[in-house]
Amino acid sequence: MNWIEAIGYLGTALTISASAMSTMIPLRIISLCASCAVITYGVMIGSIPVVLTECIQIPFNAYRLWEMIKLVRDTETAAAGNLSLEWLAPFGSKRRFGTGETVFRKGDPADELYYVESGVFLIPEVGIEIKRGGIVGELGLLSPGNTRTASLVCMQAGRALRISYSEVKQLYYQNPEFGFYFLKLTSERLFNSVNGSERVAAGDAL
């Protein structure tokens, strides 16, 4: 076996290895390496079809690799809580609220969440303020019977984006960044609700 055949066998081994992988980033990297090896082999033996096939595959694998790396970075940003949600605007309708207006009450049917664009809103049961850039109403999506777990009152006139739960579900499945942020948000809100309830109970006991 000469070195030209060795390159060909290397390309074959890398192609088989890529096909056996289950994680996407290593798979794309190995596929690109396999394509480079096969192209080199094809040039050495003068096979244009082999070279052409691999040259077509390289841009696809490179693009998918870039997508996966970008996805990992975006999900890390989302998990860190630094994700801006201004891109949600096309998925909802805007509504203005006046000072003292009740947006919803505990026990009401829940079919939408709100992204606060301006103003200040308060969850009175736990004393949590929601300001610009915050999301509220998300727990209704997870509660039994889709009912509000707390009330929401506008403390300072502002505007919020209303997003239906059907849109939220689509975003959750289609946009991993939003999915990670949503999971983190609901977890934090649940912990805050528990802590707030404990503070209220302690105050009543006093």
Side-chain angles (χ1 to χ4, degrees), residues 140-196:
L141 176 63
L142 307 176
S143 67
N146 290 131
T147 57
R148 298 295 184 191
T149 59
S151 305
L152 183 67
V153 179
C154 179
M155 302 303 293
Q156 179 182 319
R159 186 177 62 194
L161 185 69
R162 302 168 60 186
I163 307 170
S164 68
Y165 286 159
S166 60
E167 290 284 358
V168 172
K169 290 177 182 177
Q170 291 184 41
L171 288 169
Y172 182 88
Y173 288 113
Q174 295 176 10
N175 191 316
E177 304 143 59
F178 179 79
F180 269 86
Y181 183 87
F182 186 81
L183 288 174
K184 186 174 186 293
L185 176 70
T186 51
S187 298
E188 288 182 351
R189 191 62 53 78
L190 285 170
F191 281 118
N192 288 337
S193 296
V194 170
N195 292 334

Side-chain angles (χ1 to χ4, degrees), residues 15 28 51 65 74 85 90 101 107 121 125 137 143 155 176 194 204:
T15 301
R28 298 298 179 184
V51 173
L65 176 60
D74 289 341
L85 294 179
E101 183 176 353
F121 296 78
E125 287 83 356
S143 67
M155 302 303 293
V194 170
D204 289 344

Side-chain angles (χ1 to χ4, degrees), residues 6 12 26 33 37 50 53-54 68 70-71 82 85 94 99 110 124 139 142-143 158 164 171 173 185 189 196:
T12 300
C33 293
V50 170
T53 299
E54 297 303 321
M68 293 304 300
K70 181 178 182 297
L71 177 61
N82 299 322
L85 294 179
K94 296 182 179 181
T99 302
L139 291 182
L142 307 176
S143 67
S164 68
L171 288 169
Y173 288 113
L185 176 70
R189 191 62 53 78

Side-chain angles (χ1 to χ4, degrees), residues 26-45:
L27 184 154
R28 298 298 179 184
I29 293 174
I30 296 300
S31 294
L32 287 169
C33 293
S35 292
C36 291
V38 173
I39 286 173
T40 302
Y41 175 73
V43 170
M44 293 296 181
I45 65 174

